[in-house]
């Protein structure tokens, strides 16, 4: 592991985090209508008054960039420039927002009513708001919230209105356009609608990118989008998408703006509104279409208690500072600014690195509630825990999580027993308490006769719902957990052997967790540092040894990763036993789910998380990246071809049956 010497050790610092204010406290004692109609005077970028939405469309259509692409498309398609321009205008009409303060006021009034019924508190870090107020005056601002619920973008606009900040323009999927009335209301609240995929549509991409860049260059409004691209159904951060990030950075690369401020925002829920819906989607139940009638039917959630919500505005990140020494902006001067250029390899690497680090910042600022600790313990103890044992283990886990850097919202003035009691009450739909024994609600309590398959499905819904809360804290544990499993699998005290195993596991699970590309050594050293500091390990120049008091910590950390290790092993086993000559990619998830279901019904598998489509897709992505599986196009359909020797070896390496040395994979 000589490459480690190139790097300085990463030493995580316990950073001071901002205090929070409950923004609903005032709302509970004053008029919502008066509040919605109050004077709204936002801080503006360089004091400029934003142009009207209609003027914005005109600027985009007349831009040199779009005119250049229109001529290109006209030449390639044989259509007249007028026809292509008309097509571009229609795309823009479909896409563009038409922000109107009157509509925003209506939403503020309605959401004030809804939020007070849904949440006990909505807590915002005021220091983050103050930093944002300063940032919007100096440079164009891009807001990058985490995405766990449909509630995210509504809450963002609500908070910005409350603090007299410019209302954002928000990138939204076309799905919302199918919602009669609501779709147009969202448009008038600042949403601009984009297709989920553009394919090779050069004109659509040009209209979209120019629209976003025009708003950014003119300081029209903060631009808001989700780096993860979509809601996370598992409450783990998703691998970031870089397309929109490249668009908002391009004006800086081309010298059109001095700087751009990227503001990561972490939105945390004590209880997720879409909890069981997500679990069912992961089990193959189709996602319900966004419709107005569906929204009206969802009103019943207003009678539920969703606990508290935290919104943490992170420090604005300067693109100029990020890019210093990493991006050569001179390359953008070789062609006129209006001529589109594909990002260079250097720019792509920079974009990917920046995106991962921004998502990791979101993770680090996520406020974690006591329930995530309890959910983690209940998943590791399927037979349940008595209340006294649950109290002792939760208190132990709390101190471990804090030592590893968790941002934990634990009411210090309350006893541990009281905190646990409140958490259990809030999540009573997922668990039962009988004779002091706390268990997840995995048994069918309806007394309705069900098939074995239906019983597995019902049990899986509860377990995956609970796992989504455990997943909220995985970013705290993942690096030490990878090290713990590496120590267990390496069957050696050699630091190099353990690092090789750590590096293999990190690579295998890089679609599963936010692990910054190229940071394997730093992550290894960070994990070593944290576990040495905790007293679980002793690390010398050449060896890593578990300390006398480290067994409990390492056993827990191995258990944290066990569902993922077991899940990936089941995927490998399925591919090794697959007898189909042409396994269609579209059939992979249903066939794998059926394979895992049979193992569960036969009593050979207890890990229900294997049934999650998210885990299955991530495992397939890892096997494709490691070249153990490849895609082949046959008769216009994509098939999967597995190298059974390579897949079998990966399964064995996950279980620690054979050493994880790089030459093994290279030979395969």
């Amino acid at each position: 592991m000589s490459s480690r010497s190139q790097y300085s050790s990463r030493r995580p610092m316990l950073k001071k985090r901002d205090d929070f204010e409950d923004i609903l406290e005032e709302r509970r004692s004053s008029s919502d209508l008066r509040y919605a109609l109050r004077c709204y005077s936002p801080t503006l970028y360089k004091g400029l008054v934003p142009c009207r939405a209609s003027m914005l469309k005109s600027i985009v259509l007349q831009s040199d960039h779009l005119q250049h692409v229109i001529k290109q498309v006209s030449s390639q398609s044989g259509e007249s420039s007028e026809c292509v321009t008309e097509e571009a205008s229609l795309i823009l009409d479909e896409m563009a927002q038409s922000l109107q303060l009157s509509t925003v006021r209506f939403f503020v009034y309605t959401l004030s009513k809804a939020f007070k019924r849904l949440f006990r508190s909505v807590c915002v870090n005021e220091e983050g708001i103050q930093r944002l107020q300063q940032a919007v005056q100096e440079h164009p601002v891009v807001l990058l919230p985490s995405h766990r619920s449909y509630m995210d973008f509504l809450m963002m606009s609500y908070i910005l209105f409350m603090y007299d900040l410019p209302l954002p323009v928000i990138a939204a999927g076309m799905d919302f356009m199918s919602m009669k009335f609501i779709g147009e209301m969202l448009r008038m609240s600042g949403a601009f609608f984009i297709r989920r995929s553009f394919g090779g549509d050069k004109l659509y991409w040009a209209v979209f990118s120019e629209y976003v860049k025009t708003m950014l260059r003119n300081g029209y409004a903060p631009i808001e989008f989700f780096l993860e691209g979509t809601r996370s159904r598992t409450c783990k951060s998703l691998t970031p998408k870089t397309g929109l990030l490249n668009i908002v950075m391009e004006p800086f690369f081309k010298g059109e703006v001095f700087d751009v401020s990227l503001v990561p925002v972490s939105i945390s829920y004590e209880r997720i509104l879409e909890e069981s819906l997500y679990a069912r989607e992961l089990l193959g139940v189709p996602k319900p279409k966004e419709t107005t009638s569906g929204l009206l039917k969802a009103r019943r959630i207003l009678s539920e208690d969703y606990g508290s919500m935290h919104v943490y505005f992170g420090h604005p990140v300067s693109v100029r500072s990020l890019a210093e020494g990493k991006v050569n902006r001179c390359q953008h001067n070789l062609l006129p600014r209006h001529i589109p250029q594909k990002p260079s390899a250097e720019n792509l690497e920079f974009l990917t690195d920046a995106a991962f680090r921004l998502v990791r910042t979101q993770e680090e600022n996520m406020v974690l509630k006591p329930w995530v600790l309890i959910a983690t313990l209940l998943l590791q103890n399927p037979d349940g825990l008595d209340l006294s044992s649950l109290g002792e283990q939760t208190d132990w886990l709390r101190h471990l999580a804090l030592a590893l850097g968790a941002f934990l919202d634990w009411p210090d003035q309350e006893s541990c027993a009281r905190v646990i009691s409140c958490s259990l009450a809030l999540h009573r739909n997922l668990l039962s308490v009988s004779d002091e024994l706390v268990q997840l609600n995995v048994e069918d309590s309806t007394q309705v006769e069900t098939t074995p398959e239906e019983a597995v499905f019902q049990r899986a819904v509860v377990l995956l719902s609970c796992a989504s809360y455990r997943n909220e804290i995985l970013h705290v544990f993942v690096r030490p957990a990878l090290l713990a499993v590496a120590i267990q699998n390496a069957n050696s005290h050699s630091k190099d052997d353990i690092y090789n195993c750590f590096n293999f596991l990190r690579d295998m699970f890089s679609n599963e967790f936010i692990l910054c590309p190229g940071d394997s050594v730093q992550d290894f050293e960070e994990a070593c540092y944290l576990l040495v500091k905790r007293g679980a390990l002793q690390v010398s120049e050449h060896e890593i040894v578990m300390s006398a008091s480290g067994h409990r910590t390492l056993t827990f950390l191995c258990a944290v990763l066990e569902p993922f290790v077991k899940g990936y092993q089941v995927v490998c086993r399925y591919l090794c036993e697959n007898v189909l000559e042409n396994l269609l990619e579209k059939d992979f998830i249903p066939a794998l789910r059926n394979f895992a279901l049979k193992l569960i019904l036969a009593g050979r598998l207890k890990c229900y998380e294997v049934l999650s489509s998210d885990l299955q897709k991530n495992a397939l992505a890892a096997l494709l990246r490691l070249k153990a599986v490849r895609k082949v196009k046959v008769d216009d359909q994509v098939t999967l071809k597995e190298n059974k020797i390579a897949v079998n070896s990966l399964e064995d390496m996950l279980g620690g049956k054979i050493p994880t040395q790089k030459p093994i994979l290279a030979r395969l």
Side-chain angles (χ1 to χ4, degrees), residues 368-636:
L368 305 170
K369 301 295 285 186
W371 169 247
V372 303
L373 305 177
I374 298 166
T376 303
L377 292 168
L378 290 176
L379 285 167
Q380 291 188 11
N381 295 273
D383 294 330
L385 290 167
D386 63 74
L387 279 170
S388 62
S389 178
L390 180 62
E392 185 275 327
Q393 291 193 42
T394 302
D395 193 50
W396 174 84
L397 186 52
R398 170 169 70 115
H399 288 94
L400 175 64
L402 289 170
L404 298 181
F407 192 177
L408 193 59
D409 180 35
W410 185 282
D412 290 324
Q413 69 279 11
E414 301 275 4
S415 68
C416 186
R418 174 66 181 158
V419 171
I420 290 173
S421 176
C422 291
S423 293
L424 296 181
L426 185 66
H427 297 276
R428 59 187 176 276
N429 59 310
L430 294 178
L431 53 86
S432 63
V433 183
S434 177
D435 296 329
E436 299 287 298
L437 182 68
V438 183
Q439 286 180 295
L440 292 175
N441 273 335
V442 291
E443 301 303 332
D444 183 17
S445 58
T446 62
Q447 304 301 317
V448 176
E449 192 172 330
T450 59
T451 65
E453 289 80 6
E454 288 171 337
V456 168
F457 179 85
Q458 291 166 0
R459 187 181 180 100
V461 167
V462 173
L463 289 169
L464 289 180
S465 297
C466 192
S468 69
Y469 292 102
R470 178 219 48 213
N471 290 346
E472 291 182 19
I473 200 171
L474 283 181
H475 66 276
V476 173
F477 295 135
V478 65
R479 289 159 187 81
L482 288 170
L483 178 56
V485 176
I487 291 169
Q488 175 183 272
N489 287 1
N491 201 22
S492 161
H493 296 313
S494 163
K495 191 186 262 189
D496 283 346
D497 289 346
I498 292 170
Y499 174 74
N500 284 339
C501 193
F502 175 92
N503 194 41
F504 162 73
L505 291 166
R506 186 185 184 280
D507 194 20
M508 193 70 167
F509 293 123
S510 62
N511 293 88
E512 203 71 56
F513 310 109
I514 296 300
L515 299 163
C516 298
D519 272 11
S520 181
V521 169
Q522 292 95 316
D523 285 347
F524 180 77
E525 292 181 341
E526 177 182 323
C528 287
Y529 170 78
L530 288 169
L531 291 181
V532 167
K533 181 183 169 189
R534 176 67 181 170
L537 292 182
Q538 295 174 346
V539 179
S540 64
E541 186 177 353
H542 299 294
E543 285 194 335
I544 298 177
V545 180
M546 182 176 72
S547 66
S549 60
H551 182 265
R552 184 178 187 180
T553 299
L554 294 185
T555 299
F556 166 78
L557 291 170
C558 286
V560 165
L561 274 192
E562 185 178 8
F564 302 96
V565 173
K566 286 271 176 67
Y568 279 45
Q569 285 179 312
V570 169
V571 175
C572 290
R573 183 54 22 214
Y574 166 69
L575 288 168
C576 286
E577 294 182 14
N578 172 48
V579 294
L580 294 175
E581 187 175 339
N582 292 318
L583 173 60
L584 296 179
E585 184 181 23
K586 66 182 179 66
D587 295 335
F588 173 76
I589 298 294
L592 175 55
R593 185 179 290 121
N594 191 45
F595 177 79
L597 178 61
K598 287 178 179 176
L599 291 177
I600 290 170
L601 289 171
R604 294 167 55 197
L605 178 66
K606 294 184 179 179
C607 180
Y608 282 69
E609 291 184 55
V610 181
L611 296 170
S612 165
S613 59
D614 183 74
L615 183 146
Q616 294 163 352
K617 289 172 186 174
N618 288 337
L620 178 60
L623 294 173
L624 287 165
R625 183 166 33 79
L626 294 170
K627 303 197 183 329
V629 176
R630 59 192 175 90
K631 292 183 182 181
V632 178
K633 204 164 186 181
V634 178
D635 299 329
D636 293 328

Side-chain angles (χ1 to χ4, degrees), residues 180-201:
K180 292 177 183 177
F181 179 66
I182 297 295
E184 283 308 310
M185 290 284 286
L186 291 173
R187 188 192 296 277
M188 290 187 286
S189 299
F192 62 96
F193 299 98
I194 56 176
R195 298 172 189 168
R196 289 293 180 187
S197 61
F198 305 164
D201 194 333

Side-chain angles (χ1 to χ4, degrees), residues 227 240-254 259-260 262 317-329 331-332 343-359 516-517:
L227 263 176
K241 308 288 190 294
T242 57
L244 250 172
L245 190 63
N246 179 49
I247 288 173
V248 298
M249 285 188 178
E250 195 174 291
F252 166 74
F253 292 149
K254 291 187 173 182
D259 201 358
V260 177
L262 308 174
V317 177
S318 158
V319 173
R320 173 173 284 272
S321 299
L322 266 185
E324 189 174 358
K326 296 177 183 175
V327 175
N328 176 17
R329 292 201 292 159
Q331 62 185 306
H332 294 281
S344 64
E346 177 188 67
N347 275 28
L348 285 173
E349 185 179 345
F350 167 72
L351 282 165
T352 300
D353 184 69
F356 270 85
R357 295 191 188 285
L358 286 163
V359 174
C516 298

